[in-house]
Amino acid sequence: MKLLHFFAVILLALSASARASYISFQASTDHIVVGDAFYVDVILEKPFDGLFEGDELLAFGFNLGYDAGVLQLIDSTMGAPWDDDSALFPGIDVAGSAFPGVTDDSGAGLLLARLSFSAVAAGLSQLSLFGDSAANPDLGLLYVSGSDVIDARKDMRIYSVPQPASMWMLALGGLGLLVRRKAAGVR
């Protein structure tokens, strides 16, 4: 019996390591300034690579990490065909399911969720998604054949903009230089 258990663990480890799926991010803009509202699409690329033919993706769940001093999460919406299950799982930031599950019919990436943010301060924040079913069975990617870990990161730089008072000072300084140049040219 122990030998059978050993081979089952080895088979599971080999099937998990053969998966080639990964998370990509597509932001609505590359240049974000303080006060902007923007979104980031969370896309599962190559969702069925390394899996058995006919496998289905049933559900996913992940938690978010980001600098709350730089970014503020406004909302998360599920991509089609996912149902939003986030409210059903306290302690999980984003969760979705589809029954029947999603099958590999297009080869394209799957939109898991759209995360809407507001930029509240200038700086750099790393947006991270993580979910491991070993820690919590409601986290990660849940396939018919098993589960997989979600672990992805994206650096988000938020730029500051000149304040209105600074713009007035800049304009007055430019006007002063112009007046000085004109006065120097008259002599």
Side-chain angles (χ1 to χ4, degrees):
M1 190 63 149
K2 287 185 179 185
L3 187 60
L4 181 61
H5 179 60
F6 173 75
F7 283 119
V9 169
I10 294 297
L11 181 62
L12 182 61
L14 289 175
S15 68
S17 64
R19 294 187 180 157
S21 64
Y22 62 94
I23 299 290
S24 71
F25 299 97
Q26 291 182 356
S28 59
T29 181
D30 290 331
H31 188 77
I32 305 164
V33 297
V34 174
D36 280 355
F38 65 98
Y39 66 84
V40 176
D41 285 342
V42 178
I43 300 170
L44 179 62
E45 303 286 354
K46 301 182 179 183
F48 297 96
D49 278 10
L51 297 177
F52 300 110
E53 187 175 330
D55 205 349
E56 295 181 25
L57 179 59
L58 302 173
F60 67 90
F62 57 83
N63 284 322
L64 299 168
Y66 57 90
D67 184 345
V70 176
L71 300 175
Q72 178 184 8
L73 181 66
I74 299 170
D75 190 27
S76 63
T77 55
M78 299 303 115
W82 307 107
D83 293 324
D84 189 352
D85 297 333
S86 303
L88 301 175
F89 302 104
I92 296 179
D93 294 329
V94 179
S97 65
F99 293 100
V102 176
T103 58
D104 186 16
D105 58 354
S106 69
L110 294 173
L111 175 62
L112 298 180
R114 175 171 282 180
L115 308 174
S116 299
F117 290 94
S118 177
V120 295
L124 180 66
S125 178
Q126 184 179 75
L127 174 60
S128 62
L129 280 61
F130 48 93
D132 186 355
S133 61
N136 181 335
D138 300 319
L139 289 173
L141 300 168
L142 178 62
Y143 291 90
V144 169
S145 65
S147 61
D148 204 359
V149 173
I150 293 177
D151 187 7
R153 293 169 186 77
K154 177 179 179 60
D155 287 338
M156 310 284 302
R157 178 160 304 280
I158 310 302
Y159 298 95
S160 62
V161 294
Q163 299 298 321
S166 300
M167 290 171 48
W168 278 110
M169 290 181 70
L170 181 64
L172 286 174
L175 183 62
L177 289 172
L178 183 64
V179 168
R180 182 173 180 196
R181 183 174 178 203
K182 291 274 186 186
V186 173
R187 290 185 195 178

